[in-house]
Amino acid sequence: MINGTYDSEDLVREIERLCTAQPHLETVLRAFGPLVLEKSQWLSDTALDTQILPIDPLRYTEGIPLNRQHQLFHADDPWGSAGWATAKAIAQGFPQFSGDMEALLLRFTEGKYDCFSLFFVDEKEANKQLADKATEFGISPVSLHLFLRVLNTFMLTKKARDMKTELAAHVWNKGYCPVCGGFPHLAILGDNGQRHLQCADCGHTWPFARLTCPYCLHEDPQNTTVFFVDGQQEDSAFTCDKCRRYLLTANRSASLSPPPADLIAMSLIHLDLILQEKGYSPMTECLWNSFNVAED
Ligand SMILES: [Zn+2]
Ligand SMILES: [Zn+2]
């Protein structure tokens, strides 16, 4: 597993270490660090699913991820604790949303809120339904959207964790995630040069050919350049000149337990900025890598 076994105290120490070592990261770490901490704590407090979803080997080999083979989310998943942890993390990292998160937490306490049902909206009506729900709760649609986006990653991460052993028995050779179909936000190179991709949404990691673009499967090494900042060659980005996407890449010895990949990805945010200024797009947008470079 690429994520080490960091407990909450280790994570707090790692966030503080990064803030001191790279002061330019402080703003992003103060905002998103609570999400990393709360997610980690919630996962360690949450039991594994007792029901394992069967994987259809043929469909899996064809590249059909688990979320298109099964309904991943169920009403009896631990939505209450996930919602609570999500609201708490957002309130800590984003004080401007803390009032709205408190309003949501109050509804949980009163038992009037069902997170699960909010994931099953009609796609065409999603914006209107979100706005209606936000009005009903007395909060802004932006707050509710952020809450659901983060809550989705918490629950997906649990699903990926719970299916890890089953997934390890099957081969997956696509550039998108075998659990949720999302694209990676980070690649980690191990001791032997093997590249592991990490899904931005569920945190699942899987091995992938080092010179192939995960986004468009372009295989010409001539067009896949590795970009790095002078003096920091252990951290780089894979770039593809065919699809103009990039993937942050960290060199981390497997013998050392690396911090959670979200923290590694946040610590490379300077590369996100440089590459987006050069006209590349990330393979997937996560909460902290979306800049509107044109407006800078
Ligand atoms: Zn995923
Ligand atoms: Zn590509």
Side-chain angles (χ1 to χ4, degrees):
M1 182 65 186
I2 301 253
N3 281 354
T5 50
Y6 275 51
D7 66 19
S8 294
E9 285 180 15
D10 295 329
L11 285 175
V12 169
R13 263 197 300 276
E14 177 63 12
I15 290 169
E16 292 309 317
R17 187 192 70 75
L18 283 169
C19 285
T20 307
Q22 301 179 62
H24 67 276
L25 293 178
E26 182 153 6
T27 307
V28 77
L29 287 169
R30 297 280 174 236
F32 297 106
L35 295 181
V36 176
L37 281 166
E38 287 296 330
K39 184 162 68 175
S40 164
Q41 188 63 50
W42 177 72
L43 285 170
S44 71
D45 291 345
T46 309
L48 291 173
D49 267 358
T50 47
Q51 262 193 329
I52 295 301
L53 302 170
I55 298 169
D56 179 333
L58 191 62
R59 298 183 78 204
Y60 196 77
T61 310
E62 286 170 352
I64 299 176
L66 214 55
N67 71 333
R68 285 177 47 214
Q69 297 191 21
H70 296 283
Q71 180 76 263
L72 290 187
F73 292 172
H74 299 280
D76 57 1
D77 287 328
W79 293 105
S81 61
W84 187 275
T86 299
K88 202 171 139 203
I90 294 173
Q92 277 176 24
F94 299 88
Q96 69 272 37
F97 296 125
S98 61
D100 282 355
M101 292 304 121
E102 275 168 29
L104 279 177
L105 287 174
L106 191 65
R107 294 190 79 93
F108 297 146
T109 316
E110 292 170 348
K112 289 184 193 163
Y113 189 69
D114 173 14
C115 295
F116 172 66
S117 64
L118 281 176
F119 283 99
F120 296 90
V121 294
D122 179 345
E123 260 178 47
K124 286 186 206 135
E125 295 276 305
N127 284 342
K128 185 182 179 308
Q129 289 185 12
L130 187 84
D132 289 349
K133 273 285 169 200
T135 306
E136 182 191 327
F137 298 157
I139 66 174
S140 81
V142 175
S143 295
L144 185 57
H145 184 259
L146 178 64
F147 173 78
L148 288 174
R149 188 170 170 184
V150 175
L151 180 63
N152 182 54
T153 68
F154 275 40
M155 196 56 80
L156 278 179
T157 305
K158 172 176 161 43
K159 298 291 170 181
R161 179 198 70 175
D162 296 353
M163 286 297 294
K164 194 178 150 201
T165 308
E166 275 63 32
L167 290 164
H170 298 266
V171 175
W172 181 261
N173 53 21
K174 302 292 181 191
Y176 51 84
C177 173
V179 177
C180 72
F183 278 98
H185 68 150
L186 183 73
I188 297 188
L189 299 179
D191 286 335
N192 55 4
Q194 171 72 61
R195 180 166 71 161
H196 281 81
L197 307 182
Q198 196 196 40
C199 176
D201 295 326
C202 75
H204 183 70
T205 58
W206 69 101
F208 192 75
R210 187 156 168 185
L211 295 176
T212 304
C213 171
Y215 195 83
C216 72
L217 300 184
H218 185 58
E219 281 186 61
D220 181 3
Q222 303 281 322
N223 278 340
T224 51
T225 53
V226 169
F227 178 91
F228 54 83
V229 177
D230 288 345
Q232 296 173 16
Q233 297 188 12
E234 68 276 16
D235 298 329
S236 58
F238 170 96
T239 57
C240 175
D241 281 333
K242 189 165 178 225
C243 66
R244 303 288 292 168
R245 303 271 168 172
Y246 71 88
L247 181 62
L248 298 178
T249 301
N251 225 326
R252 294 289 185 274
S253 165
S255 58
L256 299 170
S257 176
D262 283 354
L263 282 185
I264 298 179
M266 284 176 207
S267 73
L268 303 183
I269 201 165
H270 55 290
L271 289 175
D272 282 302
L273 264 173
I274 292 169
L275 285 152
Q276 290 182 35
E277 277 173 358
K278 286 179 181 293
Y280 290 96
S281 302
M283 292 197 178
T284 186
E285 288 196 347
C286 58
L287 284 169
W288 56 85
N289 75 356
S290 316
F291 314 106
N292 196 340
V293 174
E295 284 184 2
D296 285 352

